[in-house]
Amino acid sequence: MSGTLKYLLLSIVLGLASPASRAAGQDCLPPPVLPDNLFPVVRLETSLGDITVELDRKRAPITTNNFLRYVVAGQYDNTIFHRVMAGFVVQGGGYTETIEERELFPPIFNESGNGLQNLPMTIAMARFDDPHSATSQFYFNLAANASLDPNPKSWGYAVFGLVISGQDVVESIAAVKTGYHEGLDAEDVPLVPVKLLSASVMEPPH
């Protein structure tokens, strides 16, 4: 099934719900962004080097559109990687260096059942306990994190792409010293901020 058809079928299914849930469902479906590019490539310029990710619109059309709308809007520029857990994940996309949150688009539908697994150097969406609560925050898997994949009893965390260059940069971020951050009231925060300076969509080869 193509990503576009999957997207349309999901829209139809959500459209059959009650008026209240239908409104929520529509919010869960971001508008298409650069729809003619099936596997968009995004360059993330960080303070430790560049990371290039290829997104899988075929398997994760909703999540890809969501990520791209933050990229195109410049919402990832000058943010930080605020959670680094060696051997697990590197997470970012939510805060500036002064721990200010960027404006968020509505949460999206959870596509964790798309067949993509939380394997090393994949990119996936972070979320709260609510399975459909992902907004801007994303993470890179540093290991095969099967606990983040869906199972018959619970939703997982939606993978939507793969690091195709800059794996060493991801590993460099994973190796920084971390500790408690009062502003975030969290452990595993880099003691020296690791910045995501800019995110941009690369032109597809002709």
Side-chain angles (χ1 to χ4, degrees):
M1 181 184 297
S2 72
T4 301
L5 180 57
K6 175 183 174 184
Y7 189 89
L8 291 173
L9 287 175
L10 180 58
S11 301
I12 293 170
V13 170
L14 289 171
L16 295 176
S18 65
S21 60
R22 183 164 62 244
Q26 290 169 347
D27 284 345
C28 285
L29 298 172
V33 180
L34 305 175
D36 294 333
N37 191 345
L38 192 59
F39 297 98
V41 174
V42 174
R43 180 171 56 225
L44 306 174
E45 180 187 350
T46 84
S47 54
L48 295 182
D50 290 356
I51 302 167
T52 305
V53 295
E54 182 181 76
L55 312 182
D56 192 339
R57 191 193 300 275
K58 184 177 181 180
R59 303 290 287 273
I62 296 169
T63 315
T64 294
N65 282 326
N66 177 66
F67 186 77
L68 289 175
R69 64 178 173 178
Y70 282 102
V71 171
V72 172
Q75 294 294 83
Y76 288 135
D77 297 356
N78 299 309
T79 57
I80 60 169
F81 291 95
H82 65 278
R83 184 185 186 204
V84 173
M85 301 180 71
F88 185 45
V89 300
V90 165
Q91 184 172 331
Y95 301 97
T96 66
E97 189 175 351
T98 55
I99 315 302
E100 295 177 353
E101 289 188 271
R102 289 294 176 83
E103 183 176 352
L104 300 176
F105 294 108
I108 59 170
F109 182 85
N110 186 325
E111 291 184 299
S112 62
N114 60 18
L116 299 175
Q117 297 176 298
N118 282 271
L119 297 174
M121 293 299 155
T122 54
I123 183 172
M125 293 304 298
R127 60 172 174 81
F128 296 107
D129 289 341
D130 178 348
H132 309 296
S133 59
T135 53
S136 67
Q137 292 190 32
F138 61 90
Y139 63 89
F140 297 114
N141 282 292
L142 301 173
N145 293 318
S147 63
L148 303 180
D149 293 331
N151 61 61
K153 294 184 178 180
S154 65
W155 294 81
Y157 293 74
V159 174
F160 63 102
L162 180 69
V163 176
I164 57 174
S165 70
Q167 292 91 341
D168 57 327
V169 177
V170 177
E171 294 291 356
S172 294
I173 299 173
V176 303
K177 292 184 178 180
T178 61
Y180 177 77
H181 189 287
E182 185 176 359
L184 288 169
D185 189 23
E187 303 285 350
D188 306 309
V189 181
L191 298 179
V192 176
V194 180
K195 302 175 185 177
L196 173 49
L197 303 172
S198 69
S200 58
V201 181
M202 300 178 68
E203 290 292 330
H206 297 290

